[in-house]
Amino acid sequence: DQQVKQNSPSLSVQEGRISILNCDYTNSMFDYFLWYKKYPAEGPTFLISISSIKDKNEDGRFTVFLNKSAKHLSLHIVPSQPGDSAVYFCAASHQGAQKLVFGQGTRLTINP
Amino acid sequence: KAGVTQTPRYLIKTRGQQVTLSCSPISGHRSVSWYQQTPGQGLQFLFEYFSETQRNKGNFPGRFSGRQFSNSRSEMNVSTLELGDSALYLCASSPYAGAGDTEAFFGQGTRLTVV
């Protein structure tokens, strides 16, 4: 049972435009959500997170939106840059559990 | 501050053998978690250790085991290797146990190939 789903395996965006990566979850116990970025042959790097008490968190070019009623979150990257090309993983956890549940990942390609 | 260090980076083993992977967390971090990444399954949680105790375990067979030492360094062991165990094994450290509201910091991983 895939509790965290990223339905788009890949996304291609032109440099300078907005990239929107989506993530859905099924477990209503999740109360903390994270996005990680991963380059080939490297471990995931933390990007941004959001607690379930918020609906938006912003950090520079990255904004995460959380819609609890729809059990959906999204990551917006504006403007997109070539260095943003990587695989992005959505992850979720709940209070008391160090375990992170990851989505399958979305490969983002930024075209010049 | 040094990051999470995993050794070795690459490993090739034969079916039936066993393997031990090592992880040194960030200094001061006491929680270490292990994940397996495969192309078909994404990142899947193996287990978490805090203060030398396993706190949480994923849905993996008993061939997968781990331990944590008093200095927070952790090892995971896979016995009787199968071809399907070929994967990138990632270790993540964080300061606390059961802290669902903090990010985990990942190492670069150990790429295990079973032939």
Side-chain angles (χ1 to χ4, degrees):
Chain A
D1 176 33
Q2 192 71 22
Q3 297 185 66
V4 178
K5 293 181 184 178
Q6 292 176 257
N7 291 318
S8 299
S10 63
L11 178 66
S12 188
V13 174
Q14 196 167 0
E15 182 179 358
R17 307 293 286 265
I18 183 171
S19 295
I20 300 176
L21 295 100
N22 294 303
C23 178
D24 296 297
Y25 61 97
T26 57
N27 189 340
S28 56
M29 295 286 291
F30 289 145
D31 56 11
Y32 193 66
F33 304 89
L34 310 91
W35 284 94
Y36 282 84
K37 175 179 175 180
K38 187 179 183 302
Y39 293 116
E42 292 185 14
T45 303
F46 169 75
L47 206 52
I48 193 169
S49 62
I50 188 167
S51 162
S52 60
I53 62 172
K54 294 185 174 181
D55 54 20
K56 176 182 173 182
N57 189 25
E58 209 168 338
D59 184 1
R61 297 186 298 114
F62 303 92
T63 303
V64 56
F65 294 93
L66 175 63
N67 182 333
K68 288 187 289 293
S69 60
K71 294 193 177 69
H72 176 84
L73 66 156
S74 61
L75 174 68
H76 293 211
I77 306 173
V78 183
S80 299
Q81 298 174 355
D84 296 330
S85 295
V87 177
Y88 288 78
F89 288 96
C90 165
S93 68
H94 61 83
Q95 189 74 23
Q98 180 59 28
K99 169 183 175 178
L100 289 172
V101 181
F102 284 86
Q104 298 289 83
T106 296
R107 181 177 300 279
L108 176 65
T109 303
I110 305 301
N111 302 308
Chain B
K1 200 179 203 181
V4 179
T5 304
Q6 290 188 246
T7 56
R9 287 292 310 277
Y10 302 93
L11 207 47
I12 299 176
K13 289 285 188 178
T14 305
R15 269 183 303 176
Q17 286 187 311
Q18 75 161 14
V19 66
T20 299
L21 312 181
S22 178
C23 172
S24 293
I26 291 171
S27 178
H29 285 195
R30 295 168 63 193
S31 172
V32 173
S33 300
W34 288 88
Y35 292 82
Q36 180 196 64
Q37 185 188 11
T38 57
Q41 299 294 323
L43 276 107
Q44 292 192 296
F45 173 78
L46 280 154
F47 25 67
E48 180 215 351
Y49 286 88
F50 181 81
S51 292
E52 303 175 65
T53 302
Q54 187 181 88
R55 291 192 73 251
N56 211 344
K57 190 176 193 306
N59 190 24
F60 278 82
R63 300 185 297 107
F64 291 81
S65 63
R67 59 178 175 168
Q68 187 180 33
F69 302 95
S70 58
N71 62 357
S72 295
R73 190 177 70 85
S74 177
E75 289 181 346
M76 69 161 278
N77 185 78
V78 188
S79 62
T80 321
L81 283 165
E82 300 176 359
L83 295 178
D85 297 333
S86 296
L88 180 68
Y89 289 88
L90 292 158
C91 165
S93 83
S94 63
Y96 321 111
D101 60 351
T102 186
E103 64 268 24
F105 296 87
F106 283 84
Q108 290 186 292
T110 295
R111 171 72 63 186
L112 172 65
T113 302
V114 182
V115 298

